[in-house]
């Protein structure tokens, strides 16, 4: 069960970015930006997304078999209405903060629901589009039960572990999608649900 915070405000708010964002340079031209507690009223938003998003089970081909993706998904393509006004506000603030560096807006929102500790995402880079060849950014907002996001360099070397908490923002940038991989591993310990919201520019997935 996810334990809601007693101190969290009911009203959902998205805090300014600016100097509250801490950049961590990684090897090979990648970086991550961290902004803990970006969202206030995160309990309320988490409950709204659990209820309002049309979560779907996904499949993927693995060799000659089709296997269930171990998490629920919802994808909002460019131009689609987002499921909650707080996501519009997140996108607005991300666009304002990163416009110059990214050179384009964030246009899509991918949402994942990790129902419990069995759900996960395996090691990968977001390489279905331009992320394979070009520097880009993927912004992740985490809500609900904290889960580690692991990052490891494709060239080899130890993995880094970012504990993504309720309302935290992490942005992967630079060459991160092609020179590093990321994963959210299963946990041996029972865990409550987590929602991840990922904002990406056009043709990055
Ligand atoms: O759960 C997360 O925050 C990461 C999700 C992810 O890497 C993906 O959906 O490609």
């Amino acid at each position: 069960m996810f334990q809601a915070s007693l101190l969290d405000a009911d009203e959902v708010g998205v805090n300014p970015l600016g100097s509250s964002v801490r950049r961590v340079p990684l090897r090979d031209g990648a970086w991550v930006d961290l902004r803990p507690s970006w969202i206030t009223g995160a309990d309320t938003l988490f409950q709204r997304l659990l209820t309002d998003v049309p979560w779907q089970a996904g499949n993927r081909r693995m060799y000659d078999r089709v296997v269930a993706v171990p998490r629920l998904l919802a994808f909002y393509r460019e131009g689609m209405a987002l499921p909650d006004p707080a996501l519009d506000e997140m996108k607005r603030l991300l666009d304002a903060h990163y416009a110059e560096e990214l050179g384009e807006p964030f246009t899509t929102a991918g949402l994942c629901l990790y129902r419990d500790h069995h759900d996960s995402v395996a090691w990968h880079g977001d390489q279905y589009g331009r992320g394979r060849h070009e520097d880009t950014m993927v912004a992740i907002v985490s809500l609900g039960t904290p889960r580690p996001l692991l990052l490891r360099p494709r060239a080899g070397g130890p993995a880094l572990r970012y504990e993504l908490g309720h309302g935290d923002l992490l942005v992967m940038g630079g060459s991160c999608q092609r020179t590093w991989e990321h994963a959210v591993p299963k946990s041996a310990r029972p865990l409550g649900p987590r929602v991840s919201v990922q904002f990406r520019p056009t043709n990055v997935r």
Side-chain angles (χ1 to χ4, degrees):
M1 251 333 249
F2 174 68
Q3 190 80 46
S5 150
L6 296 175
L7 296 174
D8 207 357
D10 283 347
E11 198 172 327
V12 179
V14 188
N15 288 303
L17 287 172
S19 60
S20 66
V21 179
R22 181 169 67 88
R23 178 153 304 183
V24 183
L26 306 178
R27 57 175 285 186
D28 302 327
W31 51 260
V32 293
D33 274 358
L34 303 168
R35 200 317 181 178
S37 305
W38 189 36
I39 311 299
T40 47
D43 291 349
T44 306
L45 178 59
F46 180 58
Q47 293 304 331
R48 288 206 309 237
L49 293 179
L50 286 180
T51 309
D52 297 348
V53 172
W55 296 108
Q56 303 228 321
N59 293 314
R60 76 186 165 90
R61 181 163 285 284
M62 207 175 166
Y63 306 108
D64 55 350
R65 285 187 309 142
V66 175
V67 295
V69 169
R71 58 196 181 282
L72 300 182
L73 305 169
F75 189 73
Y76 296 82
R77 288 187 306 277
E78 184 167 358
M80 280 176 76
L82 296 175
D84 193 282
L87 271 62
D88 292 295
E89 182 61 2
M90 292 176 201
K91 190 183 123 37
R92 191 183 71 75
L93 290 175
L94 287 168
D95 283 341
H97 187 77
Y98 289 105
E100 199 174 319
E101 189 176 10
L102 182 58
E104 61 184 325
F106 292 93
T107 54
T108 67
L111 277 71
C112 300
L113 169 57
Y114 299 78
R115 292 156 290 187
D116 60 23
H117 58 294
H118 298 298
D119 280 354
S120 63
V121 66
W123 287 111
H124 70 286
D126 292 3
Q127 292 210 330
Y128 285 110
R130 290 182 294 138
R132 180 180 287 278
H133 310 289
E134 293 175 25
D135 284 8
T136 190
M137 293 185 199
V138 177
I140 296 177
V141 182
S142 199
L143 296 159
T145 306
R147 296 282 296 257
L149 181 89
L150 307 184
L151 279 153
R152 70 179 181 194
R154 283 185 190 272
L160 305 175
R161 180 187 174 102
Y162 291 99
E163 206 60 50
L164 291 189
H166 191 33
D168 292 352
L169 169 70
L170 179 148
V171 181
M172 295 180 277
S175 67
C176 204
Q177 301 308 325
R178 61 179 197 281
T179 60
W180 287 67
E181 294 180 308
H182 56 279
V184 176
K186 292 183 198 312
S187 164
R189 199 163 52 86
L191 293 174
R194 166 180 180 253
V195 167
S196 160
V197 182
Q198 309 109 40
F199 294 96
R200 298 180 179 87
T202 298
N203 194 22
V204 174
R205 198 142 171 210

